[in-house]
Amino acid sequence: MLSNFFYYVIYSSVVIVYGVGIKRALIISKTPRFLALDIFKMLITVSATSALSYLVVSKILILPGLIEIYPFVCVLIFCVISVFAESIIRITARISKAEYAVSILIVLLCVNESVSLAECVLNSCFCVFSFFLFVLILYAVRKRTELSHPTENFQNLSLLLISLAIMILILLTWNVSWLNTGVVK
């Protein structure tokens, strides 16, 4: 479990390595208001969708050999759960927190890379945590570049993208083969 945490949160960050939600993270990092509500909604929808999708895929789709349609099944399950969670949030908080692209890509990634139900749910929670950790890092980098008053030739977004490229290079040059337990066995 600890190796999965480090693998999905730090090394194989959903945003940095897979590119899931880079544009959304750049948008949220401008003003990260209501971030706790975003985290809560995404955790609930992604973990519930991952669990149900994994069960449907492993118990129903594998036996007749219909594993190729698992993304369609995941999207259907996600739509139902996300609409339900969105309606509850609109009723209680009177705020719209619709986020579909990042959530469904996390669900597809976790259902595809998990071996058990518990691992699927934990990996989905780790991926959500990784996404919002990246949003906070982008917010810090954005504020730091604003404080440094860059020249007119550079815009804040270009400096942010250069910083993102440097983070990706630093992350991918580090040897982390020890995190993958399948190599040791």
Side-chain angles (χ1 to χ4, degrees):
M1 182 174 107
L2 193 59
S3 65
N4 279 358
F5 175 78
F6 286 118
Y7 186 75
Y8 282 102
V9 172
I10 297 172
Y11 180 68
S12 184
S13 172
V14 171
V15 183
I16 293 176
V17 175
Y18 292 106
V20 172
I22 287 179
K23 182 179 177 184
R24 182 72 180 150
L26 287 171
I27 293 170
I28 293 175
S29 70
K30 286 182 183 176
T31 56
R33 294 179 12 198
F34 305 113
L35 201 59
L37 192 58
D38 285 336
I39 294 170
F40 179 71
K41 189 221 180 218
M42 193 180 282
L43 268 176
I44 295 298
T45 56
V46 166
S47 61
T49 304
S50 295
L52 287 174
S53 298
Y54 185 83
L55 287 174
V56 168
V57 167
S58 66
K59 302 296 182 198
I60 297 174
L61 295 180
I62 287 181
L63 294 176
L66 298 172
I67 197 68
E68 294 86 16
I69 64 169
Y70 89 90
F72 179 70
V73 171
C74 291
V75 169
L76 287 179
I77 293 171
F78 174 76
C79 287
V80 171
I81 291 174
S82 184
V83 166
F84 179 71
E86 179 68 24
S87 64
I88 289 176
I89 288 176
R90 281 191 186 183
I91 290 170
T92 58
R94 304 202 192 293
I95 299 171
S96 176
K97 289 291 157 191
E99 176 59 51
Y100 300 111
V102 176
S103 300
I104 193 63
L105 290 174
I106 289 173
V107 167
L108 290 174
L109 174 75
C110 293
V111 169
N112 193 30
E113 292 190 359
S114 298
V115 177
S116 67
L117 177 64
E119 186 179 80
C120 183
V121 173
L122 281 174
N123 289 347
S124 64
C125 293
F126 294 155
C127 290
V128 169
F129 180 69
S130 171
F131 176 75
F132 285 106
L133 180 68
F134 184 72
V135 167
L136 292 176
I137 290 170
L138 278 181
Y139 180 71
V141 169
R142 185 182 294 269
K143 286 301 176 185
R144 177 63 185 114
T145 56
E146 288 175 4
L147 288 175
S148 66
H149 302 293
T151 63
E152 304 243 346
N153 296 336
F154 283 117
Q155 294 179 350
N156 283 342
L157 185 61
S158 63
L159 286 174
L160 194 63
L161 290 175
I162 290 169
S163 301
L164 177 64
I166 291 170
M167 282 190 279
I168 291 171
L169 286 174
I170 289 171
L171 185 69
L172 294 178
T173 57
W174 180 41
N175 183 10
V176 291
S177 60
W178 56 272
L179 280 177
N180 190 355
T181 57
V183 174
V184 177
K185 293 178 185 177

